[in-house]
Amino acid sequence: MDNFQFCRILPLLLYNTEKWLDNAILRHFRTLTRKVPLEAKIEAAVAGDKAPMIAQVENDWAAGYASSGVIVPLTSYVNGSNGLTATQKSDIWKGVWNDQFLNGKMYMFPFNESDYVMYYNDTWLKKDHLPVPTTWTQFASDLKAVTSTSKDTWGLSMDPGSETEGAENGTYLYTSIMQSYGGTLATKTGKPTFDTKAAQEALQYLVNLWKAGYVKFGTDYPGQTAMGSEHSLFDMSTVASYYYNEVADAGKFTMDVAAFPKGPAGSGNSLAGTNISIFTSASKAQRQAAWTFMKWLASPQETAYWAEQTGYLPVTKAALPDMKKYDATHPYVEIAAKSLQYATATPPEAGFDEAMGALANAIQEATVGHESVAVALNNAQSAAVADIAAAKS
């Protein structure tokens, strides 16, 4: 969602704030709209000394803004007299809360959050008397059960991404599996950890499925297309894909949603979305008012409303009771929201987007390239380290 869409709904969200805040925020957001990508708009505004008071940001953008000193640390606001109580802090999903920090300091506050879910053809699953998989072992068993050359069916289609195109849904499926095997994307200092034992075990799991023909690769949302045409049983994609998957299946079968299966170390998922930061261009009074607005926007009632109107997920657990009526017709939202507790964002390091492309390339090398998992991940590790070094030079 771009800031123009944000501005269209913002008047509905504002309440008894000062009129100048209403006008100023809208004015600043509208100066950052039209046809230029959001990050470029913000950077151009900052360079021209016309930075907004607040803007939605991805965590790697925020890392750059923080190092340049153009966004404000939020710790004093969060812990101040107009801050969050201990209960309010703990109500924010753990994975979302962790994403707000850069080098131990809070520079962002949650806004648009999303993660990944497992879509499946429930009609097919029940017809074949298969369980909804809750572990990756069960998932592999279901894939095997439905794969048939004569019927032209298989378990899952995915886009693994590539070094040139970058990370795609299949890349994030792999990183989610890696997390469930106990792996991480990086150390606390931001160094990639693509070649660990957990990373190798998770990639070997995926390679085995591909070699057996249970998983096929494609581009342009192949999971959605294959499941919708009843060639594959599953699609592993973001919760934001729900509507498009419904369109793809066109009512031919009952589609359902479940959380990603668990691995030997528990659950894993990949966090997506944007947060909000306050820019140093704002006056002291404007910063305080902007914080009041951000805090209100993340309150249970308002984050519930925002989620229902946009398809994003509520940033706090306390919003779920306010969404009971909505959840009755959109049960996948609560499933996805609860996965935010353990979802992990891509590390906010300059060059890490390029590094994720190297990880996607490792999936390609270990499958279609017939390289060993160890060598493919060692190559990815070396490329990722180089990508991050180049970005910082």
Side-chain angles (χ1 to χ4, degrees):
M1 172 169 295
D2 64 26
N3 280 329
F4 177 67
Q5 292 171 301
F6 180 89
C7 288
R8 292 185 65 182
I9 198 168
L10 183 57
L12 301 176
L13 300 178
L14 286 168
Y15 67 131
N16 294 323
T17 51
E18 295 293 334
K19 187 174 181 179
W20 66 264
L21 174 62
D22 183 358
N23 291 338
I25 288 179
L26 288 171
R27 182 172 62 252
H28 279 291
F29 269 99
R30 285 170 179 150
T31 62
L32 298 179
T33 58
R34 303 296 182 264
K35 299 180 181 179
V36 183
L38 176 56
E39 184 181 15
K41 296 173 187 176
I42 297 175
E43 289 180 354
V46 170
D49 292 324
K50 295 180 180 179
M53 273 193 288
I54 62 173
Q56 58 176 328
V57 296
E58 294 189 8
N59 62 6
D60 59 325
W61 309 354
Y65 301 150
S67 65
S68 299
V70 297
I71 57 174
V72 179
L74 299 179
T75 306
S76 62
Y77 296 98
V78 173
N79 295 333
S81 58
N82 185 35
L84 302 181
T85 65
T87 298
Q88 288 172 323
K89 291 177 184 177
S90 64
D91 273 341
I92 295 174
W93 302 106
K94 183 178 179 181
V96 173
W97 178 263
N98 290 342
D99 187 39
Q100 309 310 310
F101 292 83
L102 301 170
N103 297 320
K105 291 185 178 180
M106 192 175 199
Y107 278 96
M108 298 171 283
F109 203 66
F111 177 41
N112 285 330
E113 305 298 343
S114 182
D115 60 17
Y116 286 73
V117 293
M118 178 176 70
Y119 297 94
Y120 61 93
N121 182 330
D122 189 52
T123 304
W124 188 354
L125 206 70
K126 288 177 177 175
K127 177 176 66 72
D128 286 8
H129 305 288
L130 298 173
V132 178
T134 58
T135 67
W136 291 116
T137 300
Q138 289 180 343
F139 181 73
S141 180
D142 279 1
L143 298 191
K144 179 180 180 180
V146 301
T147 299
S148 169
T149 303
S150 61
K151 295 179 181 178
D152 194 24
T153 59
W154 57 92
L156 171 72
S157 284
M158 59 174 256
D159 185 347
S162 67
E163 197 160 23
T164 53
E165 297 298 323
E168 295 290 348
N169 281 349
T171 320
Y172 294 108
L173 168 61
Y174 166 61
T175 61
S176 298
I177 297 172
M178 184 208 303
Q179 291 164 30
S180 75
Y181 273 72
T184 61
L185 286 173
T187 64
K188 290 182 179 179
T189 59
K191 182 182 178 181
T193 51
F194 293 175
D195 56 353
T196 62
K197 180 182 178 182
Q200 291 185 27
E201 290 175 341
L203 185 52
Q204 189 62 61
Y205 169 85
L206 203 54
V207 168
N208 291 345
L209 298 180
W210 179 84
K211 284 184 175 179
Y214 308 157
V215 170
K216 294 182 181 292
F217 290 169
T219 57
D220 296 326
Y221 306 101
Q224 187 179 103
T225 302
M227 188 182 75
S229 60
E230 300 182 273
H231 283 290
S232 71
L233 180 58
F234 295 100
D235 179 31
M236 314 298 265
S237 186
T238 67
V239 66
S241 299
Y242 188 90
Y243 167 78
Y244 302 100
N245 276 345
E246 273 197 321
V247 171
D249 74 48
K252 297 188 294 292
F253 56 86
T254 299
M255 182 184 74
D256 212 337
V257 173
F260 270 10
K262 294 182 179 180
S267 299
N269 207 306
S270 297
L271 183 67
T274 59
N275 304 307
I276 301 180
S277 290
I278 300 176
F279 285 73
T280 55
S281 56
S283 68
K284 183 178 179 180
Q286 288 173 331
R287 295 179 191 184
Q288 188 60 59
W291 161 247
T292 298
F293 170 67
M294 290 158 61
K295 175 186 171 184
W296 174 79
L297 190 60
S299 65
Q301 185 177 4
E302 303 313 322
T303 191
Y305 176 79
W306 183 258
E308 291 175 6
Q309 298 301 312
T310 64
Y312 285 99
L313 300 174
V315 302
T316 173
K317 305 168 196 170
L320 294 182
D322 289 322
M323 299 180 70
K324 284 185 177 179
K325 184 176 180 180
Y326 183 79
D327 188 55
T329 55
H330 302 77
Y332 61 91
V333 173
E334 182 170 349
I335 293 168
K338 289 181 176 178
S339 297
L340 291 173
Q341 185 68 8
Y342 49 82
T344 303
T346 300
E349 292 287 327
F352 220 98
D353 279 348
E354 291 77 9
M356 290 297 290
L359 191 58
N361 193 60
I363 301 173
Q364 297 272 13
E365 283 189 3
T367 50
V368 296
H370 304 291
E371 188 59 86
S372 73
V373 163
V375 169
L377 288 174
N378 284 338
N379 291 342
Q381 176 72 9
S382 297
V385 170
D387 286 334
I388 292 172
K392 292 181 177 179
S393 62

